[in-house]
């Protein structure tokens, strides 16, 4: 994947030799230095960016544009402040042409799934950051995508809320049976959530490891003190810090535990 720098006009190679297969209902997380192409890869996988080389396929068909089969959750909840929680959750369905009443009825059980029953009539400014992000997840789930693409969705949250959201996301994932492709800078988050952790090099982003997380499910936050968790956490950390860096700054790579 190449792009042209808007200021210098130079061609920049963002991703190279990234060959990944994600199985249905897997939770796969991507970690790597800042600027290595993680978010770019998610946008290509969602059809928001065209790949300049190679292909992304879903069920044997090339991904060339955004589709209802894929839902995107960004770091910023981006809720409409004049809409209630329920209307924000239903908004994606309405954008797809679903009638308002039907969209609302389809959004209600999703809000229950993300733990927001009783807050349907609240407005975004009345919610905590974690609750706003739950609405963001609900909006993506309401359209019933096959794949959920999540780009550092908890990065703006405080440490305690972030851990609680990690556990809640696993609960939502186990109920929804979605395939998840998740990007994070936080190593312990990647290990806790995932079936597999994909480790990318500095730009141009290459896959340097595909680590199976063999910690039994269901998981709760106490597993972060387990010796196997600490071992896997250290394995990912070592890989990230043993690769040569480029002008991409490896800021934000953190390890807990």
């Amino acid at each position: 994947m190449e792009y042209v720098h808007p200021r210098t006009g130079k061609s920049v190679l963002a991703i190279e030799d990234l060959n990944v297969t994600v199985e249905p209902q897997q939770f796969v997380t991507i970690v790597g230095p800042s600027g290595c192409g993680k978010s770019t890869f998610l946008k290509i996988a969602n059809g928001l960016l065209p790949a300049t080389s190679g292909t992304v396929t879903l069920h044997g068909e090339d991904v060339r544009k955004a589709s209802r089969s894929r839902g995107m959750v960004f770091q910023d909840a981006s809720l409409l402040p004049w809409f209630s929680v329920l209307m924000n959750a239903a908004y994606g369905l309405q954008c797809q042409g679903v009638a308002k009443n039907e969209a609302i009825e389809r959004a209600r059980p999703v809000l229950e799934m993300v733990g927001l029953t009783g807050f349907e009539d609240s407005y975004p400014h009345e919610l905590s950051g974690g609750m706003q992000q739950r609405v963001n997840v609900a909006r993506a789930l309401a359209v019933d995508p096959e794949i959920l693409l999540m780009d550092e969705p908890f990065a703006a949250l405080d440490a305690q809320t972030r851990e609680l959201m990690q556990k809640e996301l696993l609960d939502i994932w186990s109920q929804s049976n979605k395939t998840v492709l998740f990007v994070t800078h936080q190593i312990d988050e990647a290990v806790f959530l995932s079936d597999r952790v994909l480790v990318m090099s500095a730009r141009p982003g290459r896959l340097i490891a595909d680590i199976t997380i063999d910690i039994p499910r269901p998981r709760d936050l106490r597993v972060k003190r387990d010796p196997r968790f600490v071992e896997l956490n250290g394995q990912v950390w070592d890989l990230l810090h043993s690769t040569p860096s480029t002008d991409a700054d490896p800021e934000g790579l953190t390890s807990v535990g």
Side-chain angles (χ1 to χ4, degrees), residues 235-254:
Q235 183 180 350
V236 177
W237 193 96
D238 288 343
L239 284 163
L240 285 167
H241 290 81
S242 65
T243 56
S245 62
T246 63
D247 55 348
D249 179 14
E251 62 177 336
L253 285 174
T254 56

Side-chain angles (χ1 to χ4, degrees), residues 19-89:
N19 188 359
V20 175
T21 299
V22 178
E23 300 297 330
Q25 299 179 11
Q26 273 194 329
F27 199 120
V28 177
T29 297
I30 304 171
V31 297
S34 293
C36 74
K38 302 182 299 296
S39 295
T40 297
F41 175 66
L42 276 196
K43 290 174 183 176
I44 293 171
N46 197 34
L48 297 176
L49 282 178
T52 55
S53 63
T55 58
V56 176
T57 61
L58 178 62
H59 303 312
E61 296 186 2
D62 288 355
V63 172
R64 298 186 182 276
K65 60 182 180 179
S67 165
R68 296 181 185 181
S69 66
R70 299 177 300 280
M72 194 87 172
V73 178
F74 295 98
Q75 179 178 334
D76 185 353
S78 299
L79 304 179
L80 299 175
W82 56 88
F83 273 3
S84 67
V85 164
L86 181 58
M87 291 306 302
N88 267 290

Side-chain angles (χ1 to χ4, degrees), residues 50-146:
T52 55
S53 63
T55 58
V56 176
T57 61
L58 178 62
H59 303 312
E61 296 186 2
D62 288 355
V63 172
R64 298 186 182 276
K65 60 182 180 179
S67 165
R68 296 181 185 181
S69 66
R70 299 177 300 280
M72 194 87 172
V73 178
F74 295 98
Q75 179 178 334
D76 185 353
S78 299
L79 304 179
L80 299 175
W82 56 88
F83 273 3
S84 67
V85 164
L86 181 58
M87 291 306 302
N88 267 290
Y91 182 67
L93 287 165
Q94 289 188 271
C95 288
Q96 293 182 354
V98 177
K100 179 179 177 180
N101 289 343
E102 181 183 348
I104 287 172
E105 291 311 305
R106 287 170 60 177
R108 286 186 188 279
V110 181
L111 286 176
E112 181 179 0
M113 184 188 299
V114 302
L116 287 175
T117 298
F119 291 91
E120 294 89 346
D121 296 327
S122 299
Y123 286 84
H125 73 274
E126 299 174 318
L127 306 179
S128 67
M131 293 174 75
Q132 288 182 25
Q133 198 61 298
R134 285 192 228 171
V135 182
N136 192 16
V137 173
R139 181 172 54 194
L141 287 172
V143 299
D144 197 23
E146 185 176 350

Side-chain angles (χ1 to χ4, degrees), residues 7 12 31 46 56 104 140 142 147 170 182 193 204 210 214 217:
R7 181 174 58 82
V12 178
V31 297
N46 197 34
V56 176
I104 287 172
I147 302 171
L170 285 188
F182 188 99
L193 293 172
D210 184 343
D214 56 1
R217 296 188 187 274

